[in-house]
């Protein structure tokens, strides 16, 4: 099973590399045309894509580190490297988001704003289409390999597509004597960057602090309770190592069972969770009912 998981991480790197290449090209394109057309919103989106480059690189590094096997001081492996990289990326994204907001708000108090060139709007439309197709690819890849990191990258691709569409609308709208619309759009982009940074930070910190989905742990509780021989559940806990779930459960069994029969019950619990629900590892402790 470990070998297949490591192969899936290798496949996930392909999605991260494609995202990096796309963001590099689009950020250069947007920054060049943003300055040429004097579009605050397009320049903000270009800076947004530079943070996406960093985030995608973080995902790539995390996937590579996660593929390293357990060693002397990492007996559980390096699965959490993805979460650490994501948290670092969130700090960088937050810094850029604040910078975009500062520049946009400052531009509001400058001389009368001139509507940007229409070409900037077409660049936004092109970028939105490009990011949508990359989103479709990464989403399909994430579902195939069951990767939270790649799925997060896909969602980021989709949000970038929507941001580019919004920027295009703002630029086209600014042509109708609403030049201020370009600046307003830039502020919205800055807020979206900050929100994305917060979402990434929240998810990474939740996982690194051993947080686990309450609904899922309740579902696992109900599944284990129905396993033959289990008389009750005293305690159940869950944690994540990257995309791998680890469950710790204390089950109650008949106190008159011999050690072999009790062990068979524990094995049934492990098999159900691993084979039917894809749990990476299950630690079962038994107590007499």
């Amino acid at each position: 099973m470990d070998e297949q998981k490591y192969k899936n991480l290798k496949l996930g790197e392909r999605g991260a590399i494609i995202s990096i290449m796309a963001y590099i090209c689009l950020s250069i394109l947007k920054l060049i045309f943003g300055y040429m057309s004097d579009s605050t919103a397009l320049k903000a989106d270009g800076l947004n894509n530079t943070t996406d480059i960093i985030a995608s690189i973080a995902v790539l590094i995390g996937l590579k580190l996660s593929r390293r096997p357990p060693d002397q001081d990492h007996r559980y492996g390096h699965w959490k490297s993805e979460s650490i990289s994501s948290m670092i990326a969130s700090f960088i994204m937050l810094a850029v988001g604040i910078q975009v907001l500062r520049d946009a708000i400052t531009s509001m108090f400058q001389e009368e704003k001139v509507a940007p060139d229409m070409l900037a709007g077409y660049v936004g439309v092109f970028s939105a289409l490009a990011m949508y197709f990359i989103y479709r690819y990464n989403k399909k890849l994430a579902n195939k390999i069951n990767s939270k990191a790649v799925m997060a990258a896909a969602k980021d691709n989709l949000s970038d597509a929507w941001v580019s569409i919004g920027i295009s609308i703002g630029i086209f709208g600014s042509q109708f004597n609403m030049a201020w619309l370009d600046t307003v759009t830039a502020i919205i982009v800055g807020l979206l960057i900050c929100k994305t940074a917060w979402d990434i930070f929240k998810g990474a910190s939740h996982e690194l602090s051993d947080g686990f989905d309450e609904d899922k742990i309740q579902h696992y509780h109900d599944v284990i309770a129905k396993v033959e021989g289990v008389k009750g559940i005293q305690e159940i806990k869950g944690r994540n190592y990257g995309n791998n779930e680890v469950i710790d459960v204390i089950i109650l069994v008949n106190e008159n069972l011999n050690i072999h029969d009790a062990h068979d019950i524990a094995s049934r619990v492990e098999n159900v969770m691993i084979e039917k629900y894809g749990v990476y590892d299950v630690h079962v402790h038994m107590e007499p009912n």
Side-chain angles (χ1 to χ4, degrees):
M1 183 174 67
D2 279 358
E3 184 179 354
Q4 183 58 47
K5 284 183 174 291
Y6 287 130
K7 287 181 179 179
N8 287 343
L9 289 172
K10 180 67 175 177
L11 283 174
E13 292 176 15
R14 185 189 305 167
I17 291 172
I18 290 175
S19 292
I20 291 169
M21 298 302 295
Y23 284 132
I24 289 174
C25 294
L26 291 177
S27 62
I28 293 173
L29 184 70
K30 290 174 183 177
L31 288 172
I32 290 175
F33 282 95
Y35 282 102
M36 286 176 57
S37 62
D38 194 27
S39 171
T40 305
L42 192 61
K43 286 184 285 187
D45 197 19
L47 288 174
N48 176 32
N49 286 158
T50 62
T51 67
D52 293 322
I53 295 171
I54 297 169
S56 297
I57 290 175
V59 170
L60 180 61
I61 293 173
L63 290 168
K64 284 185 176 294
L65 290 177
S66 295
R67 287 199 295 114
R68 294 172 62 184
D71 54 31
Q72 189 66 27
D73 58 347
H74 292 86
R75 296 299 178 91
Y76 290 99
H78 298 78
W79 302 103
K80 288 193 175 184
S81 298
E82 293 179 57
S83 300
I84 295 172
S85 299
S86 296
M87 181 169 285
I88 293 171
S90 71
F91 294 144
I92 298 171
M93 292 180 71
L94 180 62
V96 174
I98 293 173
Q99 178 67 33
V100 169
L101 282 172
R102 189 183 70 85
D103 292 344
I105 293 173
T106 300
S107 70
M108 293 175 63
F109 300 98
Q110 294 174 351
E111 65 275 3
E112 186 177 349
K113 185 73 176 175
V114 178
D117 192 282
M118 286 280 285
L119 183 61
Y122 296 125
V123 171
V125 172
F126 170 78
S127 299
L129 290 173
M131 290 315 307
Y132 177 74
F133 285 115
I134 294 172
Y135 153 73
R136 292 291 299 271
Y137 175 83
N138 278 338
K139 182 183 178 183
K140 183 178 180 180
L141 179 62
N143 288 328
K144 178 181 178 181
I145 66 177
N146 191 29
S147 171
K148 293 179 182 177
V150 178
M151 181 58 78
K155 290 179 179 179
D156 189 33
N157 297 150
L158 182 61
S159 69
D160 288 324
W162 283 114
V163 167
S164 294
I165 285 292
I167 282 173
S168 296
I169 293 173
I171 293 171
F172 292 142
S174 67
Q175 306 300 313
F176 301 98
N177 296 321
M178 294 187 295
W180 52 268
L181 196 57
D182 182 61
T183 301
V184 171
T185 307
I187 293 175
I188 294 173
V189 171
L191 291 173
L192 285 172
I193 296 173
C194 291
K195 183 185 182 303
T196 302
W198 168 250
D199 289 341
I200 293 174
F201 171 80
K202 185 170 66 173
S205 61
H206 184 257
E207 183 172 318
L208 289 171
S209 59
D210 286 338
F212 200 84
D213 189 320
E214 293 182 10
D215 292 335
K216 182 173 285 189
I217 204 70
Q218 181 61 49
H219 176 63
Y220 289 163
H221 177 284
D222 297 340
V223 169
I224 294 173
K226 295 177 182 177
V227 173
E228 182 182 355
V230 176
K231 299 301 182 182
I233 297 177
Q234 182 172 312
E235 186 179 29
I236 181 170
K237 296 182 288 187
R239 60 190 187 277
N240 288 291
Y241 287 96
N243 295 322
N244 306 304
E245 295 177 350
V246 177
I247 301 298
D248 301 298
V249 60
I250 301 175
I251 61 173
L252 302 176
V253 298
N254 191 316
E255 62 183 6
N256 297 317
L257 291 177
N258 61 45
I259 187 65
H260 294 290
D261 292 337
H263 180 267
D264 287 343
I265 295 173
S267 296
R268 282 198 290 271
V269 171
E270 292 173 356
N271 291 337
V272 167
M273 298 306 296
I274 293 173
E275 295 177 7
K276 290 189 176 181
Y277 295 94
V279 174
Y280 179 70
D281 199 8
V282 185
H283 302 147
V284 182
H285 179 76
M286 292 167 289
E287 292 282 352
N289 185 25

